[in-house]
Amino acid sequence: MDLSTLTGESVPVHLQTQQAASSGPIVEAIDIVFSGTNVVGGDGRAVVFATGMHTELGHIASLSQRVGHDESPLEHQVKRVAWLIAAVAVGMGIAFIPLGTALAGLSLHDSVNFAIGLLVANVPEGLLPTITLALALGVRILARSGALVKRISAVETLGSTMVICTDKTGTLTQNRMTDTQMWTPDGVVSPPSDAPPSESVRTAAQAMVDCCTATIDVDESGQVIEFGDPTELALLRAASSFGVPPPHAGESDDGRRSFAFDPALRRMSTIVPTGDAARVNVKGAPEEVLQRCTSIAGRRLSGDDHAALRELIARWAGQGLRLLAVASRSLDGALIQTIDRDDAEQDLTLDGIVAMMDPPRPGVRDAVAVCHRAGIRIMVVTGDHALTARGIAEGVGIGAHRGLEVITGPDLDAMPENQLDEILGHTTELVFARTSPEAKLRITDALRDLGEVVAMTDDGVNDAPALRRSDIGVAMGRNGTDVAREAATMVLTDDNFATIVTAVAAGRRVYDNVRKFIVYIFAHATPEVVPFLMYALFLGTLWEGGWRFGDSVSSGPLHDTWELATTMTFLGIVACQFGTAMASRTQRASLRSIGVTSNRLLLWGFLFEIVFVIVVITVPPLQSLSGTTTPPVHLLIWLLPMPFVVWGADELYRWMRRRRDSPAHSPTPPAEPGH
């Protein structure tokens, strides 16, 4: 059975009836077939004892229903900011009414009008549409990169991601077993090979083909059709590269006899007629096959041979490779139908040891390195074996700089919450192997409780609860299950971990742009409010024009002076906003380092605003509509330094911050005694 949708393990599991009940998780039982999994070989009958929500799929579905999506960090922060803005704006508006009447001598009617204007000046009316447009643009960029986002706020969440919990099978790897190398008495070879295979290589390849139930065919259109166990298919592809063709569907068995794979013996064998004789072919776990071998390359197996082979097996297994040994022997043809299994699988000649793996996806190692440079921790959470998971993780660079620790499912189940929090709080990267759906959910909850923004990537049915609980769940679009895609926030159309990194980078760009605009929005409230207050409370331009307390400015001889004052206030706000926009482009670096003219769209925006302002203050119909007038040149000159004052003040602040944080100005710790 292929149980990858439930366990995440790419290697099929052999199931058979047994009398003694096994202990441990139910998904590890070897006598239970689960709904939602696939048969890849063999046959049998089963008794249905659970349906619907009582199945393992139903149990996982109930876990998914108990968790829901929370607000993204941006949604939460925008709500808080909205309430803060409302409180400040209303508070300033109410406070202005008595100040305006008492200090500036305005009537109650004018004070209320000014209070309303102050409210408007404090409201960041462009905040929500700009955030929405920035996120929508991020969604479009992600879609072009192979990532489909269901919730627009997920783009910002991606940019805030600090931990990526990723599955192994199908995400870091290709979910396709491949032979990486093969040991034979002549040495180690790696398929595919352009060199002509030696006799020992062809012998091992023939044993791999003969001891196999899988088939590889080519249809009329040239499409390759593979059927059978992924491990056997990997052996057939390797044998084909060495010049031994694979078997085809429907080919006659020619009187061959098979002993099926036995999980207790950890091996299988076939007996293939060869004229008047026959050949026994055996494949299985190296330690099981090796103890039944007595010869190698035409000579007896020695103690040194056993030691060298055990060292090779330990080294390859430590790399996370799956190993199979193949062996064979000649047999009298008359014994094909009468010999028993134990006698057939004796006095074997060791032909080869094959190392297989589910290879990493192209580009995953580079993507992991990008995550590390961005300060993102990666954790592998998989149902696969610990050695295999560790080998893949180390092979793609996970743990290369932070160190790597492996925790198995039973160890995690026995671990108290405070110990798990302590482990997750370290900077070490982790591999969680043989994990259950409950364990994945527990890991996600623990990380979020520690304040981490978590992205969970998975493709199986068992991953749905954790996908829903994480800050952003990422499902596979090609090989992922419908349940996982439904529970996730983002779906990868190419099932590639590298696409996740591209999505995080796009999310960070969007987040950075949103942050800059929020800074601009709140910073430009100052150049809007201060000139407004100065005008309302002190009315200094008006005073020069002959205004005194109690005089009306909306009509009469001071009307022209009032229009000039409001026009200059408006122009002062615009000029200061130019400086605020330039200052908001960077948080720490100097503007010169990123280029004053590098943002061409912003410069075009400046040009548009200047043209618009000129039209508003010079075209008579618009002057009448907006209550503006054309100021004299000597007043316009006062506007020129305003953007540079705002911009320069921020440049000075950033320079002082860089100087304070630079290593040269950091305090030197005192030397230890004796140094």
Side-chain angles (χ1 to χ4, degrees), residues 363-376 378 501-502 505 508:
V364 167
R365 188 176 184 88
D366 292 338
V368 169
V370 170
C371 286
H372 289 162
R373 289 197 298 270
I376 299 174
I378 301 176
V501 180
T502 301
R508 288 198 171 187

Side-chain angles (χ1 to χ4, degrees), residues 393-407:
E394 292 178 338
V396 298
I398 297 175
H401 301 292
R402 300 172 180 263
L404 188 65
E405 184 177 351
V406 179
I407 300 174

Side-chain angles (χ1 to χ4, degrees), residues 535-577:
Y535 167 75
L537 295 178
F538 300 103
L539 303 171
T541 56
L542 287 177
W543 191 276
E544 181 182 352
W547 175 85
R548 295 297 181 267
F549 286 111
D551 293 344
S552 173
V553 296
S554 60
S555 61
L558 294 178
H559 179 70
D560 292 341
T561 305
W562 174 71
E563 284 190 338
L564 178 60
T566 55
T567 301
M568 289 303 298
T569 303
F570 165 63
L571 294 178
I573 291 173
V574 172
C576 290
Q577 284 182 342

Side-chain angles (χ1 to χ4, degrees), residues 52 66 73 103 150 159 194 196 209 236 301 329 352 430 463 477 530 541 553 596 601 621 624 628 635 637 659:
R66 290 206 295 262
L103 182 60
K150 296 181 182 179
D194 295 330
V209 170
L236 293 182
L301 266 172
R329 62 170 286 208
L430 301 168
D463 306 317
V530 170
T541 56
V553 296
V596 176
L601 290 177
S624 176
T628 59
L635 289 181
I637 293 176
R659 180 180 174 85

Side-chain angles (χ1 to χ4, degrees), residues 163 165 379-382 407 412 417 420-421 424 430-433 435-450 454 456 466:
V163 176
C165 294
M379 299 183 185
V380 180
V381 186
T382 178
I407 300 174
L412 178 62
E417 293 300 327
L420 177 60
D421 291 344
L424 293 175
L430 301 168
V431 170
F432 292 94
T435 53
S436 64
E438 294 86 351
K440 293 185 178 183
L441 194 58
R442 182 185 175 196
I443 293 168
T444 304
D445 283 332
L447 285 169
R448 295 193 63 184
D449 290 342
L450 291 173
V454 182
M456 173 69 73

Side-chain angles (χ1 to χ4, degrees), residues 589-610:
S590 67
L591 197 57
R592 183 178 64 178
S593 66
I594 67 172
V596 176
T597 62
S598 58
N599 191 334
R600 300 296 177 86
L601 290 177
L602 181 60
L603 298 181
W604 279 109
F606 286 169
L607 180 60
F608 172 81
E609 189 163 1
I610 290 172

Side-chain angles (χ1 to χ4, degrees), residues 157-158 160-164 375-378 451-455 508:
T157 308
L158 273 170
S160 306
T161 298
M162 293 179 280
V163 176
I164 295 178
I376 299 174
R377 293 170 66 197
I378 301 176
E452 304 280 11
V453 179
V454 182
R508 288 198 171 187

